[in-house]
Amino acid sequence: MRAETENTVEKIEKSLALLGQRLNWETAEHRLEEFNARVEDPTLWDDPANAQKLMRDRQSLVDAIETYRSIERDLRDNVELIELGEMEEDDEVVSDAEKALKSLAEKAAKKELEALLDGETDGNDSFLEIKAGAGGTEACDWAAMLARMYVRWAEKRGFEVELQEEQAGAEAGIKSATYQIKGHNAYGWLKSESGTHRLVRISPFGKGTRETSFAAVGAYPVIDDNIEIEVNPADIRVDTYRSSGAGGQHVNTTDSAVRITHHPTGIVVTSSEKSQHQNRDIAMKALKSRLYQMELDRRNAEVNALHEAKGDAGWGNQIRSYVLQPYQMVKDLRTNHETADTQGVLDGDLDGFMAATLALKVAGKSRADAQAD
């Protein structure tokens, strides 16, 4: 077996070792049996919320076991094919198996990163807030471009996207928008996007000049009902108003919009669904999500990307630059991950950037460390 192929096999084995460690492989089958026994309990759906959580947890374990077995099986089969091909001097068999191993190494590395999404709320749904920053109408248009980018990303992953609130820009784009992204590990991936995003391009609004715009992105986990977050009624103000969204396919324009202001922190959350009762419930969940995120931030001793990116959405605070003129480049300033495929990124191809940031966190590096490297 060639040295290059041996290195590929070693990489796959290391990924398998990490997957097995995260999965606690020795007890995985026993835990699945316990899940199956609980699923067969006739009283399970007496508590729908807990039943749904149990089914999600079980499916996650089933998927993890199948992923581990699939990689292990494909590794074994292709190594055997290479050994057989070398014995019979069949170069075509050896070449095909080596190509399969390279693809398997990429798959294993991706699954290895996903296995590292083991934070307390990484597996949860996510709220995603986008706000226009410095740059006026240009920034509002940039915020709308970012909203489209994240919706495209979520849809490619099979996630469900719900628009919770939107405020239209005076001339174009949006001043702000809040989405709920529903899917396994939605928050685990999106948390890497929190920060200021900078755009450089030729103005599309008749100026013909090169303009720089900023928008702020914030991701917050949707809090499971099993996590208790107490909110003192005396600390909040609840206002109802008519939604100011532009209408259309995704934006409601009802009289039932609800805004909740949390006085101790200054957090403001809104929701504009059709039912005022539903709006209050959604807004309270969003508030608890923000409060929980603040508590997680206080617990963390390490400086993460969300902390580092705090500040006004303007010069000096950006985590990523999107340059459309005079050249094409998207570059993350925390990881130095970059690509010239700007259109692909704006169409939702963000996995490479998210994976690089996750790997950076796993390595225990801060933004400053990465930039120094």
Side-chain angles (χ1 to χ4, degrees):
M1 189 181 297
R2 294 191 305 159
E4 181 182 357
T5 303
E6 290 179 349
N7 289 336
T8 302
V9 170
E10 185 178 345
K11 289 179 181 178
I12 298 171
E13 289 174 341
K14 287 182 178 179
S15 294
L16 269 175
L18 185 140
L19 287 170
Q21 179 183 348
R22 295 280 171 169
L23 180 57
N24 196 359
W25 181 252
E26 293 181 355
T27 66
E29 289 289 349
H30 176 66
R31 284 182 284 127
L32 181 56
E33 290 175 0
E34 291 181 340
F35 271 126
N36 291 337
R38 294 171 65 186
V39 166
E40 294 174 359
D41 185 345
T43 65
L44 173 65
W45 289 96
D46 290 350
D47 187 339
N50 282 334
Q52 291 174 359
K53 182 179 185 303
L54 174 66
M55 298 300 289
R56 286 196 302 268
D57 291 344
R58 178 190 175 277
Q59 190 59 49
S60 295
L61 180 58
V62 168
D63 292 343
I65 291 174
E66 177 53 33
T67 294
Y68 184 91
R69 285 177 171 167
S70 174
I71 295 173
E72 186 180 46
R73 181 176 59 252
D74 289 348
L75 173 60
R76 181 179 62 250
D77 290 349
N78 283 292
V79 168
E80 290 176 355
L81 279 174
I82 290 174
E83 292 174 347
L84 180 62
E86 289 176 341
M87 288 176 58
E88 297 182 354
E89 298 183 351
D90 190 333
D91 293 339
E92 184 176 354
V93 168
V94 172
S95 178
D96 288 346
E98 287 177 340
K99 290 178 181 178
L101 280 177
K102 289 180 180 179
S103 297
L104 183 61
E106 295 176 0
K107 173 185 176 181
K110 181 178 180 180
K111 294 300 181 181
E112 177 183 341
L113 277 174
E114 290 179 356
L116 296 171
L117 294 172
D118 60 355
E120 188 174 7
T121 55
D122 280 354
N124 290 23
D125 298 341
S126 180
F127 289 113
L128 184 71
E129 293 183 350
I130 302 167
K131 295 182 179 179
T137 299
E138 298 277 354
C140 289
D141 188 55
W142 173 223
M145 291 170 65
L146 283 174
R148 174 185 177 275
M149 180 180 77
Y150 287 115
V151 169
R152 288 288 184 91
W153 171 84
E155 289 174 345
K156 287 180 179 181
R157 281 187 164 263
F159 291 166
E160 182 181 348
V161 181
E162 291 183 3
L163 179 61
Q164 303 294 319
E165 177 272 338
E166 181 181 89
Q167 185 177 4
E171 298 179 21
I174 57 174
K175 292 182 180 179
S176 66
T178 303
Y179 294 89
Q180 184 172 349
I181 313 296
K182 298 181 179 180
H184 182 58
N185 285 336
Y187 174 68
W189 288 114
L190 284 169
K191 67 182 181 182
S192 67
E193 296 299 295
S194 291
T196 299
H197 296 244
R198 169 178 174 257
L199 173 70
V200 180
R201 63 172 174 174
I202 299 297
S203 173
F205 298 102
K207 299 178 182 178
T209 56
R210 192 169 68 189
E211 299 290 334
T212 299
S213 308
F214 299 90
V217 174
Y220 310 95
V222 176
I223 302 307
D224 191 283
D225 290 338
N226 292 324
I227 300 177
E228 294 294 334
I229 301 293
E230 293 186 6
V231 178
N232 186 343
D235 289 340
I236 64 174
R237 184 179 77 245
V238 180
D239 299 308
T240 58
Y241 65 101
R242 181 177 179 82
S243 173
S244 60
Q249 182 178 0
H250 299 294
V251 184
N252 296 313
T253 55
T254 68
D255 291 310
S256 61
V258 170
R259 177 190 294 115
I260 297 180
T261 303
H262 187 248
H263 297 298
T265 62
I267 293 173
V268 178
V269 293
T270 60
S271 179
S272 52
E273 295 292 332
K274 295 181 180 179
S275 160
Q276 185 168 314
H277 176 76
Q278 183 183 21
N279 280 332
R280 183 183 176 93
D281 181 59
I282 292 173
M284 282 299 296
K285 286 183 177 179
L287 174 60
K288 290 181 179 181
S289 171
R290 295 285 298 274
L291 293 174
Y292 183 71
Q293 181 65 47
M294 290 179 65
E295 178 59 26
L296 287 181
D297 289 347
R298 281 194 289 268
R299 291 183 203 167
N300 266 333
E302 297 179 359
V303 178
N304 57 31
L306 180 59
H307 286 117
E308 294 171 333
K310 281 185 177 178
D312 293 334
W315 288 103
N317 296 312
Q318 62 266 21
I319 62 168
R320 189 177 301 148
S321 288
Y322 306 70
V323 181
L324 306 185
Q325 288 287 341
Y327 55 89
Q328 300 275 317
M329 181 66 67
V330 180
K331 181 173 182 178
D332 196 289
L333 305 181
R334 300 162 297 180
T335 64
N336 290 327
H337 182 80
E338 62 184 38
T339 178
D341 183 15
T342 56
Q343 190 56 53
V345 172
L346 293 175
D347 282 338
D349 292 340
L350 295 169
D351 286 359
F353 288 96
M354 293 178 176
T357 305
L358 178 59
L360 185 71
K361 289 179 176 292
V362 171
K365 292 184 179 180
S366 67
R367 180 179 181 181
D369 292 334
Q371 290 174 329
D373 290 344

